[in-house]
Amino acid sequence: MSARSSTRSLTRALPRALPLTPAVILLLLFLAGPIAYCAYIAFTDLQLTGQAEDSFIGFENFRTAFGDEAFLNAVWLTLVFTVISALLGQNTLGLALAALMQRASKPVRTLVGGIVVTAWVLPEVVAGFLLYAFFRREGTLNAILDWLHLPTQNWLYTLPILAVSFANVWRGTAFSMLVYSAALNEIPKEITEAAEVDGAGGWRRMWHITLPMIRRSIGTNLMLITLQTLSVFGLIWVMTRGGPGGKSQTLPLFMYEEAFQKSMIGYGTAVALLLLVVGSLFSVLYLRLLRTEV
Amino acid sequence: MPPRTRTPASRRAVRHRLAADAGLLVVAAAFVLPLAWVVLSSLDAQADLRVKLPDGLTFDNFDAVLTPDITFTPLLNSLLLCGGGTALTVACAALAAYPLSRFRSRLNRPFLLTILFATSLPITAIMVPVYALFVQVNLIDTMQGTIFFFAASQLPFAIWLMKNFMDGVPKELEEAAWTDGASSFQSLVRVVLPLMGPGVAVVTVFSFVMMWGNFFVPFMLLLTPDQMPAAVSINEFFGNRGTVVYGQLAAFSVIYSTPVILLYVGVARRLGGGFALGGAVKG
């Protein structure tokens, strides 16, 4: 391309790109800026109080983190929370609901869809309170177990990570259900019917025909719910505050506690940066799954 | 004797449908319990943490929380924050989507990929540096700072959705407007946006619902109690008031949740259940 034509295309491109400016400014100032700042203060010993200025300390925060039992505990709990609530819970339950809805009668489909989606649309804090009430010692779950003559316990105290995981399943399943419903609706009826005529039972049809046909939806769904679950804060905060004794303290809560309750902004941000890096890796994977779309 | 028209296949279909219905209803029963608690408790003078039918229906809980302090101020704050954030998001996204959808450029693809990448970043992770940054530039504890951050965090997804909807509007109509002497901006506002009304509604409602329910952002960025939106002020029921009056907490939860549920239902009805997923999860 000659210099002149590239200048001409530039003079034409610039006014056309003008409408992008407000969005780009907002994104640079309030999203890219903080992320860059995050990458900087993660390497400092910035604190909230009692310190004249922060200094650059290199990888010290990260070294501290990997020697810190509370941090490793938070990593482990984040993993447990993500696997139980997103991969096993939301994903599987969402797929099961979507598959059942294909066969169910319309009123039942509408009713069940409405209930599950309501749980999803509720504000995060409200969802937290509802599930807090459900799992409390004097709450609904124990009342039901008692009525069935099953042993009860103080769920938020003995198994807090399980309780918040179930809460997240309750709140998040609608997303997977909607994704899978859309995917299943796109499978041509003839294919499943042909398999049925050939004598393939329900499970075999699911395993050999349906799942392979919706595998891209499965991929994107897993990616997105993992990312959503990694950043859950309000739900756990309301239900347990990360306690008791850090037993439900996932990384976002650990980050918050280090940065604010212990005033170690630098350290808290280092944890945040790790979370961002993990999120970015998932995000790149997600882009690869979608790469033909853009 | 009535004629027997049912074939074995159709009997099997009925059996399958009944089994599917039963399975779904069992799951729904588990899902509905927490929702039933909040509705029943809000109408119960002796509400506790268990789902139970109230002895008599009462609106005392609603009466008790419908005060400026508990309900009106936080809801008004929520409205300001989320309304401001949504307006900013939708305006910027509509403008940004226009060149991305209408003009070919080598920069479109990298830009859209960056946007899509940002869509799935865990925003929770950057709240600590955002707090530190806001302290330095004096935006901490300001409505406008929070609105800006809300808008920025919602923008990637809004641009992405908006661009996909805009792609669906045929270009010919715009070209007609251009021949009549309209500028690009005029054709965007007068021709393109009205034609993609449902799309704009989806972006608007989705952004609003996301901000309305968000707890962490205002929790971090606002400090003064009378600036708190409902998402944060609801915490007060637990924090500082000693014993929790569950009936009032439930009543407040109902009041706070109703707007987003109505908005969602309004848009979902017109556009089909999976609307909020838009282009982001095709595949």
Side-chain angles (χ1 to χ4, degrees):
Chain A
M1 202 193 296
S2 74
R4 185 191 292 180
S5 80
S6 83
T7 331
R8 192 167 350 117
S9 75
L10 199 68
T11 47
R12 208 180 49 207
L14 272 183
R16 285 184 168 182
L18 209 62
L20 281 168
T21 331
V24 170
I25 290 176
L26 265 181
L27 288 172
L28 284 179
L29 284 182
F30 292 98
L31 218 57
I35 291 174
Y37 193 53
C38 176
Y40 165 71
I41 50 180
F43 295 95
T44 69
D45 57 356
L46 184 63
Q47 294 184 9
L48 269 184
T49 46
Q51 193 191 24
E53 59 186 44
D54 56 292
S55 54
F56 192 77
I57 55 165
F59 283 93
E60 194 53 39
N61 284 326
F62 298 94
R63 263 196 293 278
T64 315
F66 285 102
D68 181 353
E69 239 167 71
F71 170 78
L72 296 174
N73 171 58
V75 171
W76 167 244
L77 288 176
T78 308
L79 212 64
V80 172
F81 180 62
T82 310
V83 169
I84 296 181
S85 68
L87 301 189
L88 298 178
Q90 294 178 8
N91 180 55
T92 317
L93 188 58
L95 179 60
L97 287 174
L100 284 175
M101 279 181 169
Q102 297 283 309
R103 288 185 175 275
S105 57
K106 189 156 191 294
V108 173
R109 205 160 59 212
T110 313
L111 176 77
V112 177
I115 291 169
V116 176
V117 169
T118 304
W120 182 53
V121 183
L122 279 187
E124 191 177 15
V125 185
V126 172
F129 280 137
L130 299 196
L131 274 305
Y132 169 86
F134 186 74
F135 282 111
R136 274 288 298 232
R137 182 195 283 283
E138 60 276 38
T140 303
L141 178 60
N142 276 346
I144 294 171
L145 290 174
D146 203 39
W147 183 65
L148 293 169
H149 299 290
L150 290 169
T152 63
Q153 54 182 312
N154 192 350
W155 300 99
L156 293 173
Y157 196 79
T158 52
L159 292 165
I161 192 68
L162 208 61
V164 293
S165 298
F166 275 109
N168 197 37
V169 173
W170 185 82
R171 181 169 146 75
T173 296
F175 182 81
S176 300
M177 182 186 83
L178 293 173
V179 171
Y180 287 134
S181 289
L184 292 179
N185 278 333
E186 279 180 14
I187 296 182
K189 280 253 178 313
E190 300 80 52
I191 296 183
T192 38
E193 272 163 13
E196 204 170 350
V197 172
D198 288 347
W203 289 114
R204 284 189 52 178
R205 279 206 307 280
M206 191 77 183
W207 192 251
H208 291 289
I209 296 167
T210 313
L211 288 183
M213 288 193 75
I214 61 167
R215 65 179 186 283
R216 291 194 58 204
S217 297
I218 299 177
T220 44
N221 178 55
L222 283 178
M223 227 55 354
L224 291 175
I225 59 177
T226 304
L227 283 162
Q228 284 159 9
T229 306
L230 273 182
S231 53
V232 170
F233 179 88
L235 190 71
I236 304 179
W237 177 257
V238 169
M239 287 179 70
T240 66
R241 295 273 194 278
K247 279 206 290 182
S248 59
Q249 192 177 51
T250 56
L251 280 171
L253 284 102
F254 178 76
M255 168 194 92
Y256 175 80
E257 185 180 288
E258 290 302 322
F260 292 99
Q261 275 147 7
K262 299 187 184 158
S263 303
M264 312 285 277
I265 296 256
Y267 185 39
T269 305
V271 176
L273 189 61
L274 290 171
L275 206 57
L276 261 183
V277 169
V278 174
S280 309
L281 292 178
F282 275 103
S283 208
V284 169
L285 266 171
Y286 169 57
L287 286 188
R288 292 204 62 92
L289 277 165
L290 283 182
R291 69 182 175 282
T292 51
E293 302 280 321
V294 184
Chain B
M1 197 170 134
R4 302 179 65 117
T5 50
R6 285 193 162 168
T7 62
S10 82
R11 266 209 305 280
R12 198 167 61 225
V14 169
R15 219 169 45 235
H16 281 161
R17 193 175 69 225
L18 288 177
D21 284 355
L24 283 177
L25 287 173
V26 169
V27 178
F31 265 81
V32 88
L33 283 172
L35 293 172
W37 174 75
V38 77
V39 175
L40 294 173
S41 301
S42 71
L43 299 167
D44 187 347
Q46 273 101 40
D48 55 23
L49 284 168
R50 214 167 308 179
V51 178
K52 61 174 166 51
L53 285 176
D55 290 334
L57 294 185
T58 165
F59 287 96
D60 289 355
N61 291 322
F62 286 94
D63 278 343
V65 296
L66 281 174
T67 65
D69 234 19
I70 301 178
T71 301
F72 299 126
T73 310
L75 282 188
L76 188 67
N77 290 336
S78 291
L79 201 63
L80 278 174
L81 280 178
C82 308
T86 304
L88 201 55
T89 307
V90 173
C92 292
L95 284 173
Y98 189 71
L100 293 171
S101 168
R102 286 323 194 223
F103 306 125
R104 301 240 151 270
S105 157
R106 270 167 299 153
L107 290 177
N108 278 5
R109 200 180 140 81
F111 188 82
L112 280 171
L113 282 175
T114 314
I115 288 293
L116 205 54
F117 174 75
T119 302
S120 22
L121 281 183
I123 295 297
T124 307
I126 62 168
M127 286 319 292
V128 174
V130 167
Y131 174 88
L133 202 62
F134 270 36
V135 170
Q136 296 205 341
V137 295
N138 271 328
L139 274 174
I140 202 73
D141 200 22
T142 62
M143 283 290 204
Q144 67 271 30
T146 314
I147 287 175
F148 282 135
F149 184 74
F150 258 146
S153 65
Q154 204 53 51
L155 251 181
F157 193 56
I159 294 177
W160 177 251
L161 271 183
M162 198 72 98
K163 190 241 166 209
N164 281 343
F165 283 121
M166 213 176 268
D167 285 346
V169 177
K171 220 177 163 179
E172 290 74 30
L173 297 161
E174 242 173 305
E175 279 159 0
W178 288 339
T179 3
D180 292 345
S183 69
S184 287
F185 183 74
Q186 283 168 328
S187 71
L188 170 68
V189 174
R190 302 242 175 91
V191 181
V192 183
L193 289 180
L195 282 173
M196 50 179 282
V200 177
V202 167
V203 179
T204 309
V205 167
F206 187 78
S207 306
F208 190 84
V209 170
M210 293 310 282
M211 292 175 197
W212 188 265
N214 191 303
F215 165 74
F216 203 29
V217 171
F219 178 66
M220 294 287 291
L221 301 183
L222 295 173
L223 312 168
T224 322
D226 41 302
Q227 294 204 70
M228 291 300 178
V232 184
S233 76
I234 192 174
N235 242 327
E236 292 290 304
F237 282 94
F238 268 68
N240 316 319
R241 298 183 187 204
T243 48
V244 186
V245 186
Y246 289 108
Q248 294 181 14
L249 174 66
F252 182 78
S253 300
V254 170
I255 296 169
Y256 166 41
S257 308
T258 308
V260 284
I261 293 177
L262 291 181
L263 275 176
Y264 181 88
V265 171
V267 168
R269 271 230 171 133
R270 276 189 25 208
L271 295 152
F275 87 88
L277 317 169
V281 284
K282 274 189 219 152

